[in-house]
Amino acid sequence: MSKYWSPAISQLTPYVPGEQPKVDNLIKLNTNENPYPPSPRAEEAINNYPKERLRLYCDPDATLLKQALADHFQLQYDNIFVGNGSDEVLALAFMAFFRQDQPLLLPETTYSFYDVYCKLYDIEYRQIPLTNAFEIDLEQYNQANGGIIFANPNAPTGRLLELGKIERLLQNNTESLVIVDEAYIDFGGASAVELTRQYDNVLVIQTFSKSRSLAGLRIGYALGHKNLIEGLERVKNSFNSYPLDSLAIAGAVAALEDDEYFRETTGKIIDCREWTTNQLEALGFDVVPSATNFVFTCHRSLSGAELMSYLRSNNLLVRHFGKPGIENFLRITIGTYDEMQELINTLKQHPDISS
Ligand SMILES: *Cc1c(COP(=O)(O)O)cnc(C)c1O
């Protein structure tokens, strides 16, 4: 607290990211990072970038990256917006689209940055409960609103919505924008990018942080109708003209070109997710069906807090949200097979878990 703060600052509840431990003997399954390194092509592109050019400002439009994304998704250049991680893209989108007279609708259990942005921008919002099976029920979103946002697949639950349901929402909800946060779509879901060709009331946001193993390089993007992109550009250029640095642009373009590596690594994670799910179920866990690189799971007799600290004392870091309704659940990132084998072995050694 300081008397020099702007008045609203003391009312904020900032997002708390998952721990980045300073020691490296931990198996880190708490922030949905990819266990595989980035594409060797991305590394090479960053190494080969002429460092002397860092003297200059980077391209404020990240032209090479936008063009690469346009080609990749078969969209036009003016359908693409890029930012410093999808968190920044989301922040700019809340500013650009959701400061309306009607409340923003969002799931009650979802990415916890959304309500942080609402408070930052003073956006009124209404949280819609998930079904008992942790699904987003889009039927409940047919009510007056100033915008709708959800993650698909949702986080931290991992459940995927079918595209048909999203399309029906877009047809029924023509007076406000729907944002679909697809941070995890590459782990088995069908992207709403297809719908952006036909509907001007949907914006799709994706990231290089999860499926492209580049969380530390900070690259996110939005795909949608050119008028939506123009709105985002207006806000971005009123805030920071250079959100993506030269190395990030070079690395991202190269990563996007390496489709083979992308398919290999995401494929391994999907296979390992299925293996992990079966193993956990055999140990008395309920596992929510996941289309992501994590599983959301609870044990039939042990509490979430107890399990998290047991794993922590065995050098395994997982995420536990102490929130009512999900307090017994853990969100466990899918790592390599060796890491998941270690998780399962450790759980088997717990005195109250029988295999
Ligand atoms: C990880 C994540 C993000 C943020 O990703 P960055 O691109 O690293 O900022 C956004 N939305 C959801 C649902 C996420 O899980």
Side-chain angles (χ1 to χ4, degrees):
M1 246 307 206
S2 159
K3 68 177 180 185
Y4 304 118
W5 287 4
S6 301
I9 298 308
S10 57
Q11 305 305 313
L12 298 178
T13 325
Y15 177 75
V16 183
E19 184 186 350
Q20 294 293 346
K22 301 292 182 289
V23 290
D24 51 9
N25 61 336
L26 291 174
I27 297 184
K28 213 175 156 299
L29 307 175
N30 68 329
T31 51
N32 298 342
E33 288 142 331
N34 198 306
Y36 301 107
S39 156
R41 289 208 220 164
E43 191 180 337
E44 198 187 331
I46 293 169
N47 288 345
N48 291 345
Y49 186 85
K51 305 300 180 302
E52 172 276 324
R53 286 223 310 255
L54 291 175
R55 185 176 63 78
L56 303 171
Y57 279 105
C58 46
D59 174 6
D61 290 319
T63 311
L64 292 176
L65 179 57
K66 281 190 188 176
Q67 193 55 57
L69 286 163
D71 296 344
H72 182 81
F73 289 105
Q74 295 175 302
L75 294 168
Q76 299 300 311
Y77 183 84
D78 57 9
N79 299 130
I80 318 284
F81 180 80
V82 294
N84 193 258
S86 57
D87 285 341
E88 184 184 75
V89 178
L90 285 162
L92 298 175
F94 272 64
M95 175 88 133
F97 305 116
F98 290 157
R99 291 182 305 161
Q100 307 285 352
D101 295 334
Q102 297 282 344
L104 174 70
L105 305 181
L106 71 164
E108 192 171 75
T109 303
T110 190
Y111 189 40
S112 45
F113 233 132
Y114 304 154
D115 54 12
V116 172
Y117 295 134
C118 287
K119 284 171 192 146
L120 178 62
Y121 297 129
D122 208 10
I123 294 167
E124 195 197 330
Y125 63 100
R126 188 172 297 154
Q127 293 175 309
I128 315 279
L130 300 180
T131 68
N132 291 337
F134 290 114
E135 286 172 295
I136 295 173
D137 180 7
L138 290 184
E139 301 286 319
Q140 294 186 61
Y141 290 69
N142 288 320
Q143 52 175 290
N145 68 75
I148 295 174
I149 185 164
F150 53 87
N152 189 46
N154 196 19
T157 57
R159 293 212 69 151
L160 178 74
L161 275 171
E162 301 150 35
L163 226 42
K165 289 186 178 167
I166 297 176
E167 182 162 18
R168 231 167 305 140
L169 175 72
L170 299 180
Q171 289 164 344
N172 292 333
N173 191 86
T174 52
E175 299 310 305
S176 75
L177 179 66
V178 177
I179 294 187
V180 187
D181 178 352
E182 293 190 336
Y184 301 102
I185 199 68
D186 295 328
F187 299 102
S191 170
V193 168
E194 295 315 313
L195 301 176
T196 67
R197 301 177 207 283
Q198 202 184 334
Y199 298 92
D200 67 358
N201 57 339
V202 62
L203 185 76
V204 172
I205 298 182
Q206 298 188 354
T207 175
F208 281 64
S209 295
K210 315 292 175 26
S211 59
R212 302 224 177 237
S213 308
L214 285 169
L217 208 57
R218 312 303 303 130
I219 306 136
Y221 52 98
L223 310 166
H225 190 277
K226 65 177 170 50
N227 295 349
L228 298 175
I229 301 303
E230 188 191 336
L232 285 169
E233 296 288 356
R234 290 176 69 90
V235 177
K236 172 239 170 192
N237 288 318
S238 305
F239 178 70
N240 176 7
S241 304
Y242 308 102
L244 281 186
D245 64 68
S246 304
L247 299 176
I249 294 169
V253 168
L256 197 62
E257 283 168 356
D258 200 347
D259 206 44
E260 193 184 334
Y261 185 83
F262 169 76
R263 275 185 282 122
E264 180 194 324
T265 49
T266 50
K268 278 199 275 195
I269 290 166
I270 292 167
D271 292 345
C272 190
R273 175 184 77 212
E274 301 314 306
W275 180 86
T276 306
T277 301
N278 292 335
Q279 296 286 318
L280 287 171
E281 285 175 347
L283 298 179
F285 284 84
D286 288 323
V287 184
V288 179
S290 170
T292 65
N293 68 338
F294 59 83
V295 287
F296 195 56
T297 182
C298 76
H299 192 263
R300 282 171 218 146
S301 55
L302 291 163
S303 81
E306 198 176 338
L307 274 168
M308 188 201 59
S309 58
Y310 168 74
L311 290 170
R312 173 85 208 214
S313 64
N314 286 283
N315 291 333
L316 285 148
L317 208 51
V318 300
R319 193 94 195 251
H320 175 243
F321 304 89
K323 260 183 63 177
I326 59 168
E327 65 269 39
N328 280 330
F329 281 80
L330 299 177
R331 192 196 66 189
I332 306 176
T333 305
I334 302 299
T336 61
Y337 266 103
D338 285 352
E339 289 173 329
M340 301 325 275
Q341 186 72 68
E342 179 68 22
L343 170 84
I344 298 298
N345 290 345
T346 304
L347 288 170
K348 280 182 180 166
Q349 283 156 23
H350 190 287
D352 299 329
I353 294 179
S354 53
S355 47

